[in-house]
Amino acid sequence: MEKIVFEKNNIRNYVKDVIAGKIEKLKNFIEFTLEASREIKKTPKYDSIREEMQEEIYQMQRQLGALHDLRRNMAKVLNNSTNRVQLGSLVITNKARFYISVSLGEFFFEGDRFYAISSESPMAQKMMGMKPGDEFTLNKIHQKIVEVL
């Protein structure tokens, strides 16, 4: 089997770009919704619509805050190479590829599926400190660590 080489710095930059893209998209959507809410006639007939839009804007602002937290947390993720799983590690198991960074979930990079998971997640907690060759079971799924970058 041919060994695939992953450039961790490229993956780190990709995750940062995905977060930045989501922030920009949400900002644009908030602005669009604010603009639309300003154009609704100021009559009692339209009060409920305006209230719904305000609630939607509030929810989007909360999401935006969470994305800013992700970006701040991503800045703490170092790009050091290590042989044990830690924050910033790219962990290749016999089942999946995990990037221990922020809780972004599944993403595809150069045609391969990865999972960006927070260091507080059960999966990351299970793998912390492990090295290639170590095995673990989580939710009745047994995995073996093949490589730690």
Side-chain angles (χ1 to χ4, degrees):
M1 188 167 120
E2 181 183 330
K3 185 175 179 178
I4 302 171
V5 177
F6 296 106
E7 187 61 48
K8 189 165 67 167
N9 193 48
N10 292 345
I11 293 171
R12 180 176 187 267
N13 289 338
Y14 179 79
V15 169
K16 288 169 84 174
D17 290 346
V18 166
I19 294 169
K22 286 181 179 227
I23 287 172
E24 198 56 40
K25 188 187 246 182
L26 199 52
K27 280 181 177 178
N28 290 338
F29 199 65
I30 289 170
E31 186 58 39
F32 173 80
T33 308
L34 278 169
E35 199 59 41
S37 72
R38 288 184 197 117
E39 293 178 13
I40 293 177
K41 293 179 183 174
K42 301 231 186 293
T43 64
K45 181 179 172 183
Y46 295 104
D47 282 349
S48 64
I49 294 172
R50 270 196 309 280
E51 284 177 26
E52 285 179 30
M53 291 179 90
Q54 281 305 119
E55 180 60 29
E56 186 68 26
I57 290 167
Y58 172 73
Q59 294 299 330
M60 287 187 290
Q61 287 171 333
R62 287 183 57 208
Q63 290 174 6
L64 187 61
L67 285 170
H68 281 297
D69 288 345
L70 277 184
R71 184 165 59 186
R72 264 191 305 281
N73 291 338
M74 195 60 204
K76 299 174 189 172
V77 176
L78 302 177
N79 208 27
N80 300 340
S81 188
T82 178
N83 62 346
R84 292 197 176 265
V85 178
Q86 64 182 23
L87 180 65
S89 292
L90 178 60
V91 183
I92 314 295
T93 72
N94 60 329
K95 306 256 189 218
R97 298 170 191 91
F98 301 97
Y99 182 45
I100 316 294
S101 54
V102 294
S103 184
L104 189 62
E106 179 184 61
F107 67 94
F108 290 87
F109 180 73
E110 294 182 358
D112 289 305
R113 180 191 320 241
F114 291 84
Y115 297 93
I117 60 174
S118 139
S119 59
E120 289 88 34
S121 71
M123 179 65 76
Q125 289 293 309
K126 195 79 169 169
M127 292 189 293
M128 283 298 179
M130 291 186 163
K131 60 187 181 318
D134 290 348
E135 299 181 22
F136 65 95
T137 302
L138 183 67
N139 297 330
K140 299 179 183 172
I141 298 173
H142 185 77
Q143 296 190 56
K144 180 177 182 177
I145 296 177
V146 177
E147 194 172 1
V148 178
L149 304 170

